[in-house]
Amino acid sequence: MHKELIKLLLVEDDPDFQRMVSVILKRSSLTVGYDIKIAGSLTTALECLNEHEFDLVLLDLGLPDSDGTEGIENIRQKYTEVPVIVLTGQTDEEIGLDAIKAGADDYFNKDEKLQGVLGRTIRYTIERKKITRELTEAKLRAEKLQKDAERVNKQLRTAVEGANLMAREAIKAEHSKSQFLANMSHEIRTPMNAIVGFSQVLADEKLTPQQREFVEIIQDSGENLLKLIDDILDLSRIEAGNIYVEIADCQIGKLLDRVESVVRLEAEEKGLEFRIARSASLPKVIRTDSVRLRQCLANLANNAVKFTEKGHVYVNVSLERDDYTSYVRFDVEDTGVGIPADRQQAIFDSFVQVDGSTTRKFGGTGLGLAITKSLTELLGGTLSLSSEQGKGSVFTLIVPAGVDTSLQDPFVQEDPGTDSAADEQPEPAFGGSGRILIAEDILTNRKLLAMLLRNMGFETIIAEDGEQAVDKALAEPVDLILMDMQMPNVNGYEATRILRNKGFKGPIVAVTAHAMTGDDKKCIEVGCDDYLSKPIDRKKLLEKIRRHFPAQRIASSTEVKKA
Ligand code: ADP
């Protein structure tokens, strides 16, 4: 049987007692053995402790070289861990308690009946000491862990503060970036306004064929440049997370008419068959951001026309349902150049085009699909592609319908509404009479607007900044104000606010080069009735004037002639 062995140092100068202890301990247990070393003095005891390890010290208080608690203190000083049980010849309890206070773990009177209790007490004391030691170690470990945790916490706090600072700076930088983009957009659009506008005016003049060709090139290039600016702005805003969708009721019929109006002409000029096929199950109204959805579809349809030389471009529109939701699915199908399988993923990245001379021939920036994909995702939808090189492509755009389609009448072909029709209608001949105030600080823009309006038969009043606009609008009769929003001194927002506060009731149409989302709202908030973005499109200008100008002042040119 395995016997546990306790190494014991007995510090005792009385040989009889030494023997007695040995005998008592040897008989005390069958399972525990004792390896007893004897020291007759404190000096010898300290030497022994120095040389060997002991599980316990049994210490007599009356030794030749020490008395009272001195021995305990000496041992404790150097050997804090070893348990010490004191033996005393005196029966005074106080002495035993003094010994405990000095660091002993227990005490016995020598005349007590040691037999039966000594062995047990030794083992308990060792065990107790061991537990105390383990507890102390655990406590130390816990303290260390707590310190570590505090240190980590501190590091974490510092890291969080750093991250917050960086986030604040990033927001600031983002803000500056958006501001920069807004300014850049304004700066580029302002001269573009003049280029596109004047080339439109020039195109109406009597020109030689060559001059006409040059003017058309200027017009085309201007429009391409504008598209490029819009794309870059859109993409930066998407990347900056600065683009928001505005979900509202949207009539699919009108939306598709508008897409058709921008694509059909181009398709027919190329001799392509163009068709938008609307499935009968389509609801009339869905909830989505109609402007963004239209942008996506126009992008896909324009691409289809651009990359197709012969055959057709179809836009097939249908309704899809799963267990929970209805979706509108747009398949934009062409019989064009197609896209090789290994490029089908990459073309959705920014600035990526399928390489090769065909693509170079078609021009473009490689931004359209990246924007379309991001916008589709913002609408909660998906964009995918199936294509075969040389045969054609189908881009599939699916967006949630956003409405309970089972409650709606199915789609019926509608008369194109006034909105959608505007793009397609031939420009109306237009004769007006009345006074329009042009508030615009940039000379070329002023001249362009004045020329367009005068050609329509209006009288124009010019204000070069907001202050002049307020003065003139209040001093003389004005039927409508075209208000540029960014002007020196008093800007358009401020001028509109002042005019409204002073009781000016006439229509104010904001004209701004800021094409950023939210600009239109800002204009309406300060009191404008409508919003027109630069470069000014003649048709849109007409449309706005028609909408807001006192009706009796406008007549078609035939009526004007008759009058
Ligand atoms: P861009 O048309 O301005 O180059 P996009 O991002 O719209 O930019 O398209 C990226 C590229 O994907 C195009 O350059 C073209 O190579 C390819 N692509 C897009 N649509 C089609 C299509 N319908 N047929 C063939 N290739 C296409």
Side-chain angles (χ1 to χ4, degrees), residues 452-471:
L452 289 173
L453 292 171
R454 276 200 295 269
N455 286 349
M456 293 175 198
F458 293 105
E459 191 186 327
T460 54
I461 307 169
I462 302 292
E464 293 179 16
D465 62 22
E467 205 178 334
Q468 282 186 17
V470 172
D471 291 347

Side-chain angles (χ1 to χ4, degrees), residues 384-436:
S384 57
L385 161 69
S386 113
S387 181
E388 203 176 323
Q389 199 171 7
K391 290 206 165 157
S393 313
V394 183
F395 282 85
T396 301
L397 189 157
I398 299 178
V399 285
V403 288
D404 187 349
T405 47
S406 60
L407 300 177
Q408 281 194 45
D409 294 339
F411 183 82
V412 201
Q413 183 77 41
E414 298 152 20
D415 287 338
T418 43
D419 263 352
S420 57
D423 286 335
E424 279 180 296
Q425 279 174 358
E427 195 175 307
F430 201 82
S433 74
R435 289 152 68 86
I436 296 186

Side-chain angles (χ1 to χ4, degrees), residues 12 74 157 167 179 187 209 254 298:
E12 170 63 65
N74 266 289
R157 264 201 304 276
Q179 194 56 48
E187 292 312 313
K254 282 190 181 171

Side-chain angles (χ1 to χ4, degrees), residues 145-216:
L145 282 176
Q146 192 177 346
K147 276 202 186 112
D148 285 351
E150 276 166 14
R151 205 185 56 241
V152 171
N153 256 343
K154 207 169 145 199
Q155 286 170 348
L156 215 64
R157 264 201 304 276
T158 319
V160 168
E161 276 164 20
N164 280 342
L165 188 77
M166 273 158 64
R168 276 197 297 275
E169 278 176 0
I171 289 169
K172 247 193 329 202
E174 206 43 71
H175 183 76
S176 325
K177 190 176 157 197
S178 304
Q179 194 56 48
F180 168 75
L181 287 174
N183 291 345
M184 193 184 78
S185 151
H186 181 261
E187 292 312 313
I188 299 177
R189 275 169 177 274
T190 302
M192 287 308 298
N193 186 27
I195 296 172
V196 173
F198 277 110
S199 58
Q200 272 177 2
V201 174
L202 202 56
D204 289 344
E205 301 288 317
K206 268 210 170 88
L207 300 173
T208 66
Q210 198 181 36
Q211 283 168 333
R212 182 160 305 285
E213 190 192 335
F214 293 164
V215 171
E216 277 167 8

